[in-house]
Amino acid sequence: MKIDKNAAGFIDDAQLLADEAKYSSFGDTVHYVDPPKIFRHGEGSYMFDTAGTPFLDLQMWYSAVNFGYGNKRLNNVLKEQIDRLPQVASQYLHQTRIELAKAVALDAKKKFGLDGRVHFNVGGAQAIEDSLKIVRNASNGKSLMFAFEGGYHGRTLGASSITSSYRYRRRFGHFGERAMFLPFPYPFRRPKGMSAEEYSDACVRQFERLFETEYNGVWDPKTNQCEYAAFYVEPIQGTGGYVIPPMGFFKGLKKVLDQYGILMVSDEIQMGFWRTGKLWSIEHFGVTPDIVVFGKALTNGLNPLSGLWAREELINPTVFPPGSTHSTFNSNPLGTALGLEVIKMGYELDYERTVPLKGAHFLEGLRDLQKRHKEIGDVDGLGLALRAEICTDDGFTPNKALLDKMVDIGLAGDLEHNGKKIGLVLDVGGWYKNVITFAPSLEITHEEIDLAISLLDQLLTKAKKG
């Protein structure tokens, strides 16, 4: 695509970067790349830079743009809503707010067999904050939570307290109420001599051991009370590297939680909306959560809207009355109109069938690539949430430096396809920052998947040559 540099208001990249360096905070994540990359246009699975070079995007804004850039069906809903009711104060009702809440609640009733209600906010971390209020309220003010090593739930103060990375808390004072972090079964890096399932069972037993006696630290057997209110889980770890646990893991964990009256909160902010082939990734594991938190792809990245579903006992008006939490822009009509259309579209286009098929094709390509590059230590996937762990040539030692080179080469836009330049957008995750976390558009074609594998082959070959 050609970018019109003579268009009114066009500012060239050099001037934009100079202004950004002078006037913008560096406190976000833009400056993980130096210099930051400027894009001008998005369409389908591609973004385009100022030179008009296409970049195949395999991360889609951290899985916020599940349905592709410039999705006409969703864009049209946004345009129509702007003309109909673009904004309304959050103390008043409008139709799509009610319809979207009903759609999510009825879907949960069908899948989990529980009545529940939906509460909206404007971002994933903010919805996590709301869930923490619901949990604290339901547990008579208990503020301690369980969470996983490698887990990520956001960077607000409350969300940081249940996110395992100390670097997100380090400069902001002591977090006295931070979570107790438990091991998450990471199949590729399991202890030697154990199968993935044995390691999964061992992680459950390690958690269960906390309740053996009062001296294990969290349980009072005389009153049958736990000091901790809830366990925050990502069914598939997102920022942690798209780690997929053995399928029996959460059943074992939930059995312990139910035995001791601990709530399960499923963080679906990154894995929700058919990323794994289900509306919620927790559906794969055969357990029923007490709260589901969602965001990102709810509006295909077109509007900041997030929310949560909680079972009726936790969120009914008697226990969670008006004013319990608030955001000026929550349940805004542009976002709820989009969210409602996303739900309708997902079922109409049968993502539960198409996403697993595309994911299997992508995973097959990654496995073939792994055979040609011994630096790919592990590949795995569930639906279109896939991972490739980049290692040294021993196939196991984390190799962050090699992956950093790959990211830089991909963003340079100097790969080739059919004699033309093309780029590749990758996301880095994992405990050692050596994992490519793939979250392509759910609308990606089989041909684009094949192109992705071909470009990854080029990328690895170039990066290894230095």
Side-chain angles (χ1 to χ4, degrees), residues 39 122 173 194 227 236 270 274 279 300 312 335 372 455 461 463:
F39 286 107
V122 294
M194 275 189 177
E227 190 176 11
I236 296 173
Q270 190 163 163
W274 295 283
L279 181 63
N300 203 39
E312 179 73 7
R372 302 198 299 275
L455 294 177
T461 301

Side-chain angles (χ1 to χ4, degrees), residues 224-287:
N224 290 326
Q225 286 192 9
C226 180
E227 190 176 11
Y228 288 71
F231 205 133
Y232 276 74
V233 310
E234 292 171 286
I236 296 173
Q237 292 200 328
T239 302
Y242 284 23
V243 180
I244 303 167
M247 285 295 157
F249 172 66
F250 283 108
K251 284 186 178 179
L253 182 69
K254 188 63 162 59
K255 184 178 179 181
V256 179
L257 297 179
D258 289 346
Q259 183 177 351
Y260 296 103
I262 302 162
L263 301 174
M264 175 185 275
V265 183
S266 183
D267 181 339
E268 300 282 348
I269 294 165
Q270 190 163 163
M271 291 296 158
F273 302 103
W274 295 283
R275 170 56 56 198
T276 65
K278 300 285 188 183
L279 181 63
W280 311 127
S281 60
I282 195 68
E283 293 177 52
H284 293 279
F285 298 95
V287 297

Side-chain angles (χ1 to χ4, degrees), residues 26-62:
F26 281 33
D28 52 27
T29 60
V30 168
H31 291 270
Y32 284 168
V33 177
D34 186 21
K37 182 69 181 179
I38 295 174
F39 286 107
R40 300 282 184 169
H41 177 68
E43 186 175 338
S45 292
Y46 295 89
M47 289 194 290
F48 297 82
D49 66 7
T50 306
T53 303
F55 288 73
L56 180 59
D57 192 343
L58 298 181
Q59 66 114 328
M60 300 306 286
W61 199 1
Y62 314 117

Side-chain angles (χ1 to χ4, degrees), residues 242-419:
Y242 284 23
V243 180
I244 303 167
M247 285 295 157
F249 172 66
F250 283 108
K251 284 186 178 179
L253 182 69
K254 188 63 162 59
K255 184 178 179 181
V256 179
L257 297 179
D258 289 346
Q259 183 177 351
Y260 296 103
I262 302 162
L263 301 174
M264 175 185 275
V265 183
S266 183
D267 181 339
E268 300 282 348
I269 294 165
Q270 190 163 163
M271 291 296 158
F273 302 103
W274 295 283
R275 170 56 56 198
T276 65
K278 300 285 188 183
L279 181 63
W280 311 127
S281 60
I282 195 68
E283 293 177 52
H284 293 279
F285 298 95
V287 297
T288 298
D290 298 287
I291 299 172
V292 174
V293 184
F294 52 85
K296 288 192 187 295
L298 173 61
T299 65
N300 203 39
L302 291 169
N303 179 278
L305 184 70
S306 63
L308 62 84
W309 168 90
R311 57 182 174 85
E312 179 73 7
E313 294 87 345
L314 303 175
I315 200 174
N316 70 70
T318 301
V319 299
F320 205 67
S324 295
T325 182
H326 171 73
S327 171
T328 298
F329 298 101
N330 73 9
S331 68
N332 65 83
L334 298 179
T336 56
L338 283 163
L340 183 62
E341 193 66 20
V342 161
I343 298 287
K344 291 177 180 177
M345 186 178 74
Y347 282 115
E348 286 176 14
L349 298 182
D350 199 9
Y351 284 129
E352 288 199 0
R353 181 184 63 84
T354 62
V355 169
L357 291 174
K358 291 177 181 179
H361 183 64
F362 205 133
L363 186 56
E364 181 183 8
L366 290 175
R367 285 173 175 155
D368 183 60
L369 196 65
Q370 185 182 29
K371 294 174 184 175
R372 302 198 299 275
H373 295 276
K374 55 188 176 182
E375 292 82 6
I376 302 178
D378 180 57
V379 297
D380 201 0
L382 187 61
L384 281 169
L386 304 116
R387 72 191 313 269
E389 185 147 350
I390 305 302
C391 303
T392 61
D393 58 11
D394 67 5
F396 188 76
T397 303
N399 195 343
K400 178 181 181 296
L402 179 58
L403 181 50
D404 287 345
K405 286 182 184 178
M406 292 173 64
V407 171
D408 290 343
I409 294 169
L411 286 178
D414 288 329
L415 301 172
E416 291 187 3
H417 176 61
N418 291 337

